[in-house]
Amino acid sequence: GTRDQRWEMRVRTVGGRRIVHLLDRTGSYTSERIRVDFVANASHELRTPLAVLLGYVETLADEAGDDPATRKRFLKIMFDEAKRMQRLIEDLISLSRIEADKYRAPDQSVDLAALARDVCGELSAGGGERAQDLRLELSEIPPVRGDRAQLSQLLHNIVGNAMKYGREGTPVTVTLAPESDAMVRLTVSDEGEGIPPEHIPRLTERFYRVDSGRSRAMGGTGLGLAIVKHIVERHRGRLDISSTVGKGTTMRVLLPVHTVIKA
Ligand code: ADP
């Protein structure tokens, strides 16, 4: 790989001989850099809509505010930018909460089928102009061991992406089925333009986007899949992303079954 190696040198003297230890600090260096980049990226993502907002406030305070049609148009833009900042801040708060919960295993018994029905209902009701055909295919599955609110967010982000990046007029299919005695499988498939393979390993990084113009136009924060990854890790599940350019994308999540320990 191309990652930077970071070494720390320690020198000891034992019986008149100098012993040099080289310690590999690459790991901690990398996580420190990820944290620094994250703060820089988050600040940048907030600064952009804020600058737009301030620009319009100033213009409205000047002569442009006198014309009712202009005022209305500007207020709509300002509202959209403020909403973008709100979504971003909500996603940042979610991410830090999920991270803070990392070492507390989730322990609710969750009916994933009921949750999927609710989330699909909300998304198809609030979807606006993009009327995607949402198909729910449910098999008999046992309850999952998890955190209900976080699993709802996971479904929202994955199904929401399939609707955002799917092709108009093609279906989005949400399937729930048993994977094994211990795991339940959730799959969400769309027939959108797909993702080139070199991007797939990086999609769960914070603020990573294949096409940032497209993501922003769709109202994306670039944090949705980072949140999904953290939720899956906390649940000791698995996330697999497979995609074919021109055909579509399938996200597959495995989640552990809620087992009742019998005495
Ligand atoms: P965003 O808010 O940009 O949608 P996400 O973290 O949810 O952020 O997703 C990261 C990126 O992964 C998106 O910007 C998009 O490029 C890509 N992506 C996610 N889901 C899909 C999908 N179903 N089809 C195509 N691309 C997708």
Side-chain angles (χ1 to χ4, degrees):
T2 53
R3 67 177 193 162
D4 303 312
Q5 289 292 128
R6 262 288 266 255
W7 298 96
E8 185 183 315
M9 195 167 82
R10 287 218 187 125
V11 184
R12 285 196 295 151
T13 309
V14 179
R17 291 169 54 131
R18 281 188 353 126
I19 299 176
V20 178
H21 294 268
L22 280 175
L23 302 170
D24 184 353
R25 293 289 188 217
T26 313
S28 57
Y29 172 61
T30 306
S31 66
E32 169 65 6
R33 204 175 64 189
I34 287 172
R35 197 185 62 77
V36 170
D37 286 352
F38 174 57
V39 173
N41 286 338
S43 314
H44 181 77
E45 296 280 340
L46 280 167
R47 188 169 63 175
T48 309
L50 188 58
V52 175
L53 196 54
L54 284 173
Y56 280 95
V57 169
E58 274 176 31
T59 319
L60 270 186
D62 288 348
E63 72 286 1
D66 300 340
D67 174 34
T70 309
R71 195 165 61 217
K72 200 168 171 203
R73 197 162 56 81
F74 281 16
L75 283 172
K76 166 81 170 85
I77 297 170
M78 291 162 70
F79 179 79
D80 290 345
E81 294 300 317
K83 277 281 173 198
R84 175 185 296 284
M85 293 174 69
Q86 189 182 48
R87 272 197 305 275
L88 190 58
I89 288 168
E90 268 158 18
D91 276 357
L92 288 169
I93 292 172
S94 295
L95 205 50
S96 69
R97 285 211 182 116
I98 297 161
E99 274 193 304
D101 278 344
K102 187 154 79 179
Y103 299 108
R104 262 188 332 112
D107 57 5
Q108 290 172 325
S109 170
V110 181
D111 179 351
L112 207 57
L115 218 52
R117 253 185 243 111
D118 290 350
V119 169
C120 289
E122 281 165 40
L123 284 173
S124 47
E129 68 277 14
R130 287 175 68 82
Q132 291 272 1
D133 178 14
L134 250 180
R135 292 182 190 161
L136 201 51
E137 292 175 0
L138 303 175
S139 318
E140 195 68 36
I141 50 161
V144 157
R145 181 175 60 244
D147 176 313
R148 194 170 293 107
Q150 287 184 1
L151 292 176
S152 168
Q153 192 169 16
L154 174 145
L155 279 158
H156 249 279
N157 292 359
I158 295 180
V159 180
N161 276 349
M163 293 174 76
K164 277 193 312 201
Y165 301 108
R167 205 188 315 278
E168 189 119 43
T170 62
V172 166
T173 310
V174 180
T175 311
L176 280 173
E179 167 78 7
S180 64
D181 286 347
M183 297 294 238
V184 165
R185 180 178 67 238
L186 160 74
T187 47
V188 179
S189 301
D190 65 63
E191 296 177 17
E193 65 199 47
I195 306 162
E198 65 273 20
H199 293 285
I200 291 180
R202 303 198 57 189
L203 294 181
T204 58
E205 288 175 23
R206 295 152 178 194
F207 298 118
Y208 191 86
R209 296 154 161 127
V210 177
D211 174 348
S212 51
R214 171 111 194 256
S215 158
R216 287 197 176 81
M218 303 301 302
T221 61
L223 292 174
L225 289 180
I227 291 174
V228 166
K229 178 189 159 203
H230 278 87
I231 294 174
V232 169
E233 279 174 2
R234 184 176 173 226
H235 282 75
R236 307 214 181 291
R238 281 197 50 185
L239 169 68
D240 275 322
I241 303 173
S242 60
S243 190
T244 309
V245 173
K247 286 224 152 114
T249 302
T250 296
M251 304 256 167
R252 193 174 67 124
V253 178
L254 301 185
L255 290 165
V257 164
H258 184 87
T259 42
V260 180
I261 298 162
K262 294 184 190 94

